[in-house]
mmCIF file with all atom_site columns, all heavy atoms in Angstrom:
data_model
loop_
_atom_site.group_PDB
_atom_site.id
_atom_site.type_symbol
_atom_site.label_atom_id
_atom_site.label_alt_id
_atom_site.label_comp_id
_atom_site.label_asym_id
_atom_site.label_entity_id
_atom_site.label_seq_id
_atom_site.pdbx_PDB_ins_code
_atom_site.Cartn_x
_atom_site.Cartn_y
_atom_site.Cartn_z
_atom_site.occupancy
_atom_site.B_iso_or_equiv
_atom_site.pdbx_formal_charge
_atom_site.auth_seq_id
_atom_site.auth_comp_id
_atom_site.auth_asym_id
_atom_site.auth_atom_id
_atom_site.pdbx_PDB_model_num
ATOM 1   N N   . ASN A 1 182 ? -49.196 1.493   17.324 1.00 0.00 ? 191 ASN A N   1
ATOM 2   C CA  . ASN A 1 182 ? -50.451 0.822   16.957 1.00 0.00 ? 191 ASN A CA  1
ATOM 3   C C   . ASN A 1 182 ? -51.627 1.673   17.388 1.00 0.00 ? 191 ASN A C   1
ATOM 4   O O   . ASN A 1 182 ? -51.576 2.453   18.332 1.00 0.00 ? 191 ASN A O   1
ATOM 5   C CB  . ASN A 1 182 ? -50.512 -0.525  17.638 1.00 0.00 ? 191 ASN A CB  1
ATOM 6   C CG  . ASN A 1 182 ? -50.133 -1.626  16.674 1.00 0.00 ? 191 ASN A CG  1
ATOM 7   O OD1 . ASN A 1 182 ? -50.521 -1.561  15.528 1.00 0.00 ? 191 ASN A OD1 1
ATOM 8   N ND2 . ASN A 1 182 ? -49.415 -2.610  17.136 1.00 0.00 ? 191 ASN A ND2 1
ATOM 9   N N   . LYS A 1 183 ? -52.712 1.460   16.682 1.00 0.00 ? 192 LYS A N   1
ATOM 10  C CA  . LYS A 1 183 ? -54.001 2.040   17.076 1.00 0.00 ? 192 LYS A CA  1
ATOM 11  C C   . LYS A 1 183 ? -54.851 1.042   17.838 1.00 0.00 ? 192 LYS A C   1
ATOM 12  O O   . LYS A 1 183 ? -56.038 1.322   18.112 1.00 0.00 ? 192 LYS A O   1
ATOM 13  C CB  . LYS A 1 183 ? -54.747 2.519   15.852 1.00 0.00 ? 192 LYS A CB  1
ATOM 14  C CG  . LYS A 1 183 ? -54.118 3.700   15.116 1.00 0.00 ? 192 LYS A CG  1
ATOM 15  C CD  . LYS A 1 183 ? -55.013 4.242   14.027 1.00 0.00 ? 192 LYS A CD  1
ATOM 16  C CE  . LYS A 1 183 ? -54.412 5.478   13.424 1.00 0.00 ? 192 LYS A CE  1
ATOM 17  N NZ  . LYS A 1 183 ? -55.306 6.121   12.442 1.00 0.00 ? 192 LYS A NZ  1
ATOM 18  N N   . PHE A 1 184 ? -54.243 -0.067  18.249 1.00 0.00 ? 193 PHE A N   1
ATOM 19  C CA  . PHE A 1 184 ? -54.994 -1.150  18.865 1.00 0.00 ? 193 PHE A CA  1
ATOM 20  C C   . PHE A 1 184 ? -54.298 -1.594  20.162 1.00 0.00 ? 193 PHE A C   1
ATOM 21  O O   . PHE A 1 184 ? -53.107 -1.353  20.352 1.00 0.00 ? 193 PHE A O   1
ATOM 22  C CB  . PHE A 1 184 ? -55.134 -2.345  17.916 1.00 0.00 ? 193 PHE A CB  1
ATOM 23  C CG  . PHE A 1 184 ? -55.718 -1.968  16.567 1.00 0.00 ? 193 PHE A CG  1
ATOM 24  C CD1 . PHE A 1 184 ? -54.884 -1.657  15.505 1.00 0.00 ? 193 PHE A CD1 1
ATOM 25  C CD2 . PHE A 1 184 ? -57.085 -1.951  16.365 1.00 0.00 ? 193 PHE A CD2 1
ATOM 26  C CE1 . PHE A 1 184 ? -55.390 -1.307  14.284 1.00 0.00 ? 193 PHE A CE1 1
ATOM 27  C CE2 . PHE A 1 184 ? -57.604 -1.611  15.141 1.00 0.00 ? 193 PHE A CE2 1
ATOM 28  C CZ  . PHE A 1 184 ? -56.796 -1.296  14.098 1.00 0.00 ? 193 PHE A CZ  1
ATOM 29  N N   . THR A 1 185 ? -55.098 -2.196  21.012 1.00 0.00 ? 194 THR A N   1
ATOM 30  C CA  . THR A 1 185 ? -54.576 -2.835  22.231 1.00 0.00 ? 194 THR A CA  1
ATOM 31  C C   . THR A 1 185 ? -55.159 -4.241  22.311 1.00 0.00 ? 194 THR A C   1
ATOM 32  O O   . THR A 1 185 ? -56.166 -4.567  21.638 1.00 0.00 ? 194 THR A O   1
ATOM 33  C CB  . THR A 1 185 ? -54.970 -2.051  23.492 1.00 0.00 ? 194 THR A CB  1
ATOM 34  O OG1 . THR A 1 185 ? -56.405 -2.008  23.587 1.00 0.00 ? 194 THR A OG1 1
ATOM 35  C CG2 . THR A 1 185 ? -54.407 -0.644  23.441 1.00 0.00 ? 194 THR A CG2 1
ATOM 36  N N   . ILE A 1 186 ? -54.592 -5.107  23.168 1.00 0.00 ? 195 ILE A N   1
ATOM 37  C CA  . ILE A 1 186 ? -55.054 -6.463  23.331 1.00 0.00 ? 195 ILE A CA  1
ATOM 38  C C   . ILE A 1 186 ? -55.084 -6.830  24.795 1.00 0.00 ? 195 ILE A C   1
ATOM 39  O O   . ILE A 1 186 ? -54.213 -6.376  25.572 1.00 0.00 ? 195 ILE A O   1
ATOM 40  C CB  . ILE A 1 186 ? -54.164 -7.478  22.536 1.00 0.00 ? 195 ILE A CB  1
ATOM 41  C CG1 . ILE A 1 186 ? -54.823 -8.859  22.462 1.00 0.00 ? 195 ILE A CG1 1
ATOM 42  C CG2 . ILE A 1 186 ? -52.761 -7.567  23.131 1.00 0.00 ? 195 ILE A CG2 1
ATOM 43  C CD1 . ILE A 1 186 ? -54.108 -9.786  21.497 1.00 0.00 ? 195 ILE A CD1 1
ATOM 44  N N   . ASP A 1 187 ? -56.111 -7.551  25.203 1.00 0.00 ? 196 ASP A N   1
ATOM 45  C CA  . ASP A 1 187 ? -56.179 -8.036  26.576 1.00 0.00 ? 196 ASP A CA  1
ATOM 46  C C   . ASP A 1 187 ? -55.201 -9.164  26.725 1.00 0.00 ? 196 ASP A C   1
ATOM 47  O O   . ASP A 1 187 ? -55.219 -10.148 26.020 1.00 0.00 ? 196 ASP A O   1
ATOM 48  C CB  . ASP A 1 187 ? -57.629 -8.517  26.888 1.00 0.00 ? 196 ASP A CB  1
ATOM 49  C CG  . ASP A 1 187 ? -57.787 -8.864  28.330 1.00 0.00 ? 196 ASP A CG  1
ATOM 50  O OD1 . ASP A 1 187 ? -57.343 -9.977  28.737 1.00 0.00 ? 196 ASP A OD1 1
ATOM 51  O OD2 . ASP A 1 187 ? -58.356 -8.064  29.093 1.00 0.00 ? 196 ASP A OD2 1
ATOM 52  N N   . ARG A 1 188 ? -54.289 -9.024  27.690 1.00 0.00 ? 197 ARG A N   1
ATOM 53  C CA  . ARG A 1 188 ? -53.191 -9.953  27.806 1.00 0.00 ? 197 ARG A CA  1
ATOM 54  C C   . ARG A 1 188 ? -53.607 -11.352 28.203 1.00 0.00 ? 197 ARG A C   1
ATOM 55  O O   . ARG A 1 188 ? -52.881 -12.333 27.969 1.00 0.00 ? 197 ARG A O   1
ATOM 56  C CB  . ARG A 1 188 ? -52.125 -9.450  28.798 1.00 0.00 ? 197 ARG A CB  1
ATOM 57  C CG  . ARG A 1 188 ? -52.633 -9.289  30.201 1.00 0.00 ? 197 ARG A CG  1
ATOM 58  C CD  . ARG A 1 188 ? -51.598 -8.486  31.042 1.00 0.00 ? 197 ARG A CD  1
ATOM 59  N NE  . ARG A 1 188 ? -50.302 -9.081  30.945 1.00 0.00 ? 197 ARG A NE  1
ATOM 60  C CZ  . ARG A 1 188 ? -49.797 -9.993  31.788 1.00 0.00 ? 197 ARG A CZ  1
ATOM 61  N NH1 . ARG A 1 188 ? -50.581 -10.458 32.758 1.00 0.00 ? 197 ARG A NH1 1
ATOM 62  N NH2 . ARG A 1 188 ? -48.584 -10.467 31.664 1.00 0.00 ? 197 ARG A NH2 1
ATOM 63  N N   . HIS A 1 189 ? -54.800 -11.508 28.816 1.00 0.00 ? 198 HIS A N   1
ATOM 64  C CA  . HIS A 1 189 ? -55.245 -12.837 29.220 1.00 0.00 ? 198 HIS A CA  1
ATOM 65  C C   . HIS A 1 189 ? -56.235 -13.443 28.217 1.00 0.00 ? 198 HIS A C   1
ATOM 66  O O   . HIS A 1 189 ? -56.133 -14.623 27.855 1.00 0.00 ? 198 HIS A O   1
ATOM 67  C CB  . HIS A 1 189 ? -55.882 -12.738 30.616 1.00 0.00 ? 198 HIS A CB  1
ATOM 68  C CG  . HIS A 1 189 ? -54.916 -12.298 31.649 1.00 0.00 ? 198 HIS A CG  1
ATOM 69  N ND1 . HIS A 1 189 ? -53.858 -13.009 32.028 1.00 0.00 ? 198 HIS A ND1 1
ATOM 70  C CD2 . HIS A 1 189 ? -54.893 -11.124 32.395 1.00 0.00 ? 198 HIS A CD2 1
ATOM 71  C CE1 . HIS A 1 189 ? -53.165 -12.389 32.981 1.00 0.00 ? 198 HIS A CE1 1
ATOM 72  N NE2 . HIS A 1 189 ? -53.795 -11.202 33.215 1.00 0.00 ? 198 HIS A NE2 1
ATOM 73  N N   . SER A 1 190 ? -57.231 -12.643 27.796 1.00 0.00 ? 199 SER A N   1
ATOM 74  C CA  . SER A 1 190 ? -58.271 -13.177 26.908 1.00 0.00 ? 199 SER A CA  1
ATOM 75  C C   . SER A 1 190 ? -57.921 -13.154 25.426 1.00 0.00 ? 199 SER A C   1
ATOM 76  O O   . SER A 1 190 ? -58.481 -13.854 24.614 1.00 0.00 ? 199 SER A O   1
ATOM 77  C CB  . SER A 1 190 ? -59.585 -12.425 27.145 1.00 0.00 ? 199 SER A CB  1
ATOM 78  O OG  . SER A 1 190 ? -59.439 -11.052 26.742 1.00 0.00 ? 199 SER A OG  1
ATOM 79  N N   . GLY A 1 191 ? -56.973 -12.266 25.040 1.00 0.00 ? 200 GLY A N   1
ATOM 80  C CA  . GLY A 1 191 ? -56.622 -12.109 23.641 1.00 0.00 ? 200 GLY A CA  1
ATOM 81  C C   . GLY A 1 191 ? -57.589 -11.284 22.839 1.00 0.00 ? 200 GLY A C   1
ATOM 82  O O   . GLY A 1 191 ? -57.567 -11.341 21.592 1.00 0.00 ? 200 GLY A O   1
ATOM 83  N N   . VAL A 1 192 ? -58.474 -10.492 23.490 1.00 0.00 ? 201 VAL A N   1
ATOM 84  C CA  . VAL A 1 192 ? -59.430 -9.645  22.795 1.00 0.00 ? 201 VAL A CA  1
ATOM 85  C C   . VAL A 1 192 ? -58.712 -8.417  22.285 1.00 0.00 ? 201 VAL A C   1
ATOM 86  O O   . VAL A 1 192 ? -58.038 -7.700  23.028 1.00 0.00 ? 201 VAL A O   1
ATOM 87  C CB  . VAL A 1 192 ? -60.609 -9.268  23.728 1.00 0.00 ? 201 VAL A CB  1
ATOM 88  C CG1 . VAL A 1 192 ? -61.534 -8.274  23.007 1.00 0.00 ? 201 VAL A CG1 1
ATOM 89  C CG2 . VAL A 1 192 ? -61.351 -10.508 24.127 1.00 0.00 ? 201 VAL A CG2 1
ATOM 90  N N   . LEU A 1 193 ? -58.864 -8.125  20.938 1.00 0.00 ? 202 LEU A N   1
ATOM 91  C CA  . LEU A 1 193 ? -58.232 -7.021  20.288 1.00 0.00 ? 202 LEU A CA  1
ATOM 92  C C   . LEU A 1 193 ? -59.231 -5.860  20.278 1.00 0.00 ? 202 LEU A C   1
ATOM 93  O O   . LEU A 1 193 ? -60.393 -6.027  19.853 1.00 0.00 ? 202 LEU A O   1
ATOM 94  C CB  . LEU A 1 193 ? -57.814 -7.391  18.868 1.00 0.00 ? 202 LEU A CB  1
ATOM 95  C CG  . LEU A 1 193 ? -56.978 -6.384  18.096 1.00 0.00 ? 202 LEU A CG  1
ATOM 96  C CD1 . LEU A 1 193 ? -55.610 -6.215  18.728 1.00 0.00 ? 202 LEU A CD1 1
ATOM 97  C CD2 . LEU A 1 193 ? -56.786 -6.830  16.636 1.00 0.00 ? 202 LEU A CD2 1
ATOM 98  N N   . ARG A 1 194 ? -58.793 -4.660  20.731 1.00 0.00 ? 203 ARG A N   1
ATOM 99  C CA  . ARG A 1 194 ? -59.642 -3.488  20.790 1.00 0.00 ? 203 ARG A CA  1
ATOM 100 C C   . ARG A 1 194 ? -58.932 -2.283  20.096 1.00 0.00 ? 203 ARG A C   1
ATOM 101 O O   . ARG A 1 194 ? -57.761 -2.298  19.950 1.00 0.00 ? 203 ARG A O   1
ATOM 102 C CB  . ARG A 1 194 ? -59.915 -3.102  22.262 1.00 0.00 ? 203 ARG A CB  1
ATOM 103 C CG  . ARG A 1 194 ? -60.774 -4.103  23.026 1.00 0.00 ? 203 ARG A CG  1
ATOM 104 C CD  . ARG A 1 194 ? -61.061 -3.583  24.437 1.00 0.00 ? 203 ARG A CD  1
ATOM 105 N NE  . ARG A 1 194 ? -61.953 -4.440  25.166 1.00 0.00 ? 203 ARG A NE  1
ATOM 106 C CZ  . ARG A 1 194 ? -61.580 -5.450  25.905 1.00 0.00 ? 203 ARG A CZ  1
ATOM 107 N NH1 . ARG A 1 194 ? -60.303 -5.756  26.008 1.00 0.00 ? 203 ARG A NH1 1
ATOM 108 N NH2 . ARG A 1 194 ? -62.504 -6.214  26.525 1.00 0.00 ? 203 ARG A NH2 1
ATOM 109 N N   . ILE A 1 195 ? -59.822 -1.303  19.757 1.00 0.00 ? 204 ILE A N   1
ATOM 110 C CA  . ILE A 1 195 ? -59.305 -0.045  19.286 1.00 0.00 ? 204 ILE A CA  1
ATOM 111 C C   . ILE A 1 195 ? -58.899 0.761   20.505 1.00 0.00 ? 204 ILE A C   1
ATOM 112 O O   . ILE A 1 195 ? -59.590 0.815   21.525 1.00 0.00 ? 204 ILE A O   1
ATOM 113 C CB  . ILE A 1 195 ? -60.375 0.734   18.458 1.00 0.00 ? 204 ILE A CB  1
ATOM 114 C CG1 . ILE A 1 195 ? -60.790 -0.106  17.258 1.00 0.00 ? 204 ILE A CG1 1
ATOM 115 C CG2 . ILE A 1 195 ? -59.822 2.079   17.993 1.00 0.00 ? 204 ILE A CG2 1
ATOM 116 C CD1 . ILE A 1 195 ? -61.959 0.520   16.497 1.00 0.00 ? 204 ILE A CD1 1
ATOM 117 N N   . LYS A 1 196 ? -57.760 1.398   20.436 1.00 0.00 ? 205 LYS A N   1
ATOM 118 C CA  . LYS A 1 196 ? -57.270 2.159   21.588 1.00 0.00 ? 205 LYS A CA  1
ATOM 119 C C   . LYS A 1 196 ? -58.240 3.269   21.967 1.00 0.00 ? 205 LYS A C   1
ATOM 120 O O   . LYS A 1 196 ? -58.929 3.833   21.086 1.00 0.00 ? 205 LYS A O   1
ATOM 121 C CB  . LYS A 1 196 ? -55.905 2.839   21.262 1.00 0.00 ? 205 LYS A CB  1
ATOM 122 C CG  . LYS A 1 196 ? -54.695 1.983   21.511 1.00 0.00 ? 205 LYS A CG  1
ATOM 123 C CD  . LYS A 1 196 ? -53.434 2.803   21.248 1.00 0.00 ? 205 LYS A CD  1
ATOM 124 C CE  . LYS A 1 196 ? -52.203 1.992   21.503 1.00 0.00 ? 205 LYS A CE  1
ATOM 125 N NZ  . LYS A 1 196 ? -50.971 2.757   21.248 1.00 0.00 ? 205 LYS A NZ  1
ATOM 126 N N   . THR A 1 197 ? -58.289 3.576   23.224 1.00 0.00 ? 206 THR A N   1
ATOM 127 C CA  . THR A 1 197 ? -59.132 4.655   23.691 1.00 0.00 ? 206 THR A CA  1
ATOM 128 C C   . THR A 1 197 ? -58.621 5.984   23.145 1.00 0.00 ? 206 THR A C   1
ATOM 129 O O   . THR A 1 197 ? -57.429 6.262   23.212 1.00 0.00 ? 206 THR A O   1
ATOM 130 C CB  . THR A 1 197 ? -59.125 4.669   25.229 1.00 0.00 ? 206 THR A CB  1
ATOM 131 O OG1 . THR A 1 197 ? -59.556 3.418   25.724 1.00 0.00 ? 206 THR A OG1 1
ATOM 132 C CG2 . THR A 1 197 ? -60.033 5.797   25.751 1.00 0.00 ? 206 THR A CG2 1
#
Side-chain angles (χ1 to χ4, degrees):
N191 260 320
K192 292 188 175 185
F193 306 92
T194 61
I195 192 170
D196 187 281
R197 62 191 308 267
H198 298 295
S199 65
V201 174
L202 188 66
R203 293 184 175 89
I204 301 174
K205 273 185 180 179
T206 303

